[in-house]
Amino acid sequence: MRTIKELHILFREAVSDTFFIWRKEAGRVVRDQGVLIFFILVPVLYPLLYAFIYTGETVREVPAVVVDGANTAFSRDFVRRVDASPDVKVVARTGNMEEAKELMRRTKAYGIIRIPDDFSRKVNRMQQAYVGLYCDMSGLLYYKALLTACTDVSLDMNTELQIKRMGNTTVRQDEVSTAPLLYESVALFNPTNGFACFLIPAVLMLVIQQTLLLGIGLINGSARERATLHTQLVQGTGRGTVRLVLGKALCYLMLYALVSVWVLIAVPQLFHLAQIPQASDLLAFMVPYLLACIFFAMTCSILVYQRETCMLIFVFTSLPLLFISGISWPGVAVPDFWKYVSWLAPSTFGINGFVRINTMGALLEDVTFEYVGLWIQAGIYFLTACAAYYYMIGESRKIASKRAQTELAQALPSESDLSKKAESLN
């Protein structure tokens, strides 16, 4: 049994060794331009790029072309009201669909409003009339604006027709007859009903995980290429795999604590995105998320044998992870198999918990499932990271030993060279 004094000395050595590795890893990060790009440049610029792209959460004056087959006062009134809405701008009126399609092919318009020949006749006969709407579905915001404008105008004109056909009635009777049930649509936690408030928070959390995967993969890929991972142990000794993992993780954690402030707080404020978090709850939630992402990235780095391999392995996973997280694609529509697969990545728990805390004002107890899940992931991935580094360190020693033997063999003269030299001397 060790005495308390011996345990105290061992603890001090462990702390000293961990901070020694932390200093070495910080220097390694600063000297590697590729790692700096993933750890600094990408987290700084990528959120700005995404937020800037989606900053126009709603579009106005979407160009549309009208094919008015009826060409009556009633159909022209319909077109005039659509054009007067803030969402749509009628840029042309054509006589047939082919001309309208040509305008869409040339991107002069993003939608076609087609009014059939019998439009006014059916309305006058108290029959149901139809208006066709054709949209360029490559831009969902354009489709949304066109559909909303046409639907609102149709509802307003329907109300006026009802009132007109009821005859002599009071204003109150008209209101009750045309709208017996009043409703009000409120977009909870997304006041602009746009894509930025909905999508950007999830992307920001995913950026943290993916840049850690790429940066740590780049560092380990370089070390495995050169077979120098074993030299990163404490002062070149053969001990300290756990201390190596903790020292490296401490370096990444301190760096990404600053990165997270920029990504998750500064960027949403710059673009006026919805933010109603409790600072203490958000901080408490981010600690296990960063630890889980760091140890997850350190574990996955066992797949990286060369410096460039991390780009091939990890970059393509961004979109699948975003979809199966249950944010950009409805969580209830994700099959159970992929839902369980998504639990392997910290981003799933991180995205769902962060969105609820940051955008919906949830407290830490409201995201207990995600919070506990992140701590479990942090613990499991810490153990797997230690196992991965133990394997990679042993592999690095073997490769370095073989290289040293090969270089020694090349440096020493062969037996045939020695015999020839002896013969020449004789």
Side-chain angles (χ1 to χ4, degrees), residues 131-354:
V131 175
L133 176 62
Y134 305 86
C135 298
D136 181 359
M137 293 301 294
S138 63
L140 293 178
L141 293 178
Y142 296 145
Y143 161 73
K144 176 185 174 183
L146 288 163
L147 180 63
T148 301
C150 291
T151 301
D152 290 345
V153 170
S154 299
L155 292 174
D156 289 342
M157 295 184 75
N158 284 338
T159 300
E160 293 175 4
L161 286 172
Q162 282 183 279
I163 294 173
K164 184 178 179 181
R165 287 168 180 169
M166 283 190 299
N168 296 325
T169 54
T170 63
V171 175
R172 181 58 182 164
Q173 288 176 324
D174 294 340
E175 292 176 354
V176 173
S177 300
T178 56
L181 293 176
L182 294 177
Y183 71 93
E184 183 179 359
S185 177
V186 179
L188 294 174
F189 314 116
N190 190 354
T192 58
N193 201 20
F195 272 75
C197 286
F198 153 69
L199 188 62
I200 294 302
V203 172
L204 296 179
M205 291 293 279
L206 191 61
V207 164
I208 292 175
Q209 175 184 282
Q210 297 303 93
T211 52
L212 276 167
L213 277 170
L214 293 168
I216 294 174
L218 200 65
I219 291 173
N220 281 1
S222 301
R224 296 180 80 179
E225 261 188 303
R226 301 165 187 165
T228 58
L229 193 60
H230 66 289
T231 63
Q232 298 178 17
L233 290 169
V234 181
Q235 299 174 352
T237 65
R239 61 185 174 83
T241 301
V242 174
R243 299 174 192 183
L244 178 68
V245 172
L246 288 176
K248 285 174 171 283
L250 180 62
C251 173
Y252 307 143
L253 179 64
M254 294 181 69
L255 175 61
Y256 266 77
L258 299 175
V259 170
S260 298
V261 172
W262 165 258
V263 172
L264 303 180
I265 297 177
V267 171
Q269 287 186 355
L270 284 174
F271 291 91
H272 307 291
L273 301 179
Q275 277 187 303
I276 48 175
Q278 295 289 334
S280 58
D281 291 335
L282 183 58
L283 175 62
F285 184 81
M286 287 306 299
V287 170
Y289 178 69
L290 289 178
L291 289 174
C293 287
I294 288 168
F295 293 134
F296 175 66
M298 296 176 79
T299 300
C300 292
S301 66
I302 197 174
L303 303 174
V304 181
Y305 287 89
Q306 295 177 336
R307 186 176 172 85
E308 299 81 8
T309 310
C310 62
M311 296 291 292
L312 302 176
I313 297 176
F314 301 133
V315 169
F316 83 95
T317 62
S318 299
L319 278 179
L321 288 175
L322 184 62
F323 275 105
I324 64 178
S325 67
I327 293 295
S328 63
W329 188 264
V332 293
V334 177
D336 290 338
F337 172 77
W338 290 111
K339 188 178 294 183
Y340 297 140
V341 169
S342 72
W343 290 356
L344 297 176
S347 57
T348 299
F349 295 124
I351 287 173
N352 285 279
F354 175 71

Side-chain angles (χ1 to χ4, degrees), residues 397-424:
R397 280 203 189 98
K398 291 178 183 179
I399 295 174
S401 177
K402 288 181 181 179
R403 286 182 181 176
Q405 291 175 3
T406 303
E407 291 173 359
L408 182 62
Q410 291 175 349
L412 293 175
S414 62
E415 292 183 2
S416 58
D417 292 337
L418 290 173
S419 60
K420 289 180 180 179
K421 188 174 181 181
E423 289 177 359
S424 64

Side-chain angles (χ1 to χ4, degrees), residues 4-143:
I4 295 177
K5 185 176 181 180
E6 289 175 337
L7 292 174
H8 180 68
I9 293 171
L10 287 174
F11 177 75
R12 288 182 60 184
E13 287 181 355
V15 172
S16 175
D17 292 343
T18 300
F19 277 95
F20 171 80
I21 293 171
W22 165 73
R23 290 195 303 271
K24 292 293 185 181
E25 189 67 12
R28 194 174 291 110
V29 168
V30 171
R31 290 191 299 269
D32 194 321
Q33 293 182 354
V35 175
L36 284 177
I37 288 174
F38 286 128
F39 278 178
I40 304 297
L41 195 62
V42 173
V44 168
L45 297 182
Y46 214 64
L48 291 176
L49 176 63
Y50 257 97
F52 179 76
I53 290 173
Y54 289 104
T55 189
E57 299 193 75
T58 55
V59 296
R60 301 295 186 191
E61 299 292 331
V62 177
V65 58
V66 174
V67 180
D68 188 358
N71 197 23
T72 61
F74 192 70
S75 66
R76 289 193 294 271
D77 185 38
F78 181 89
V79 174
R80 179 183 59 78
R81 295 191 185 197
V82 172
D83 190 24
S85 69
D87 297 330
V88 179
K89 179 181 181 181
V90 177
V91 295
R93 290 175 172 81
T94 63
N96 55 67
M97 286 293 292
E98 292 304 319
E99 294 179 13
K101 290 179 183 178
E102 181 61 27
L103 289 174
M104 286 192 66
R105 290 192 195 99
R106 291 158 49 193
T107 65
K108 300 295 183 181
Y110 292 97
I112 301 174
I113 301 172
R114 182 177 180 274
I115 301 176
D117 300 346
D118 57 355
F119 176 73
S120 299
R121 186 164 57 252
K122 283 189 174 182
V123 170
N124 292 330
R125 292 178 179 177
M126 301 181 67
Q127 296 176 347
Q128 193 172 32
Y130 297 91
V131 175
L133 176 62
Y134 305 86
C135 298
D136 181 359
M137 293 301 294
S138 63
L140 293 178
L141 293 178
Y142 296 145
Y143 161 73

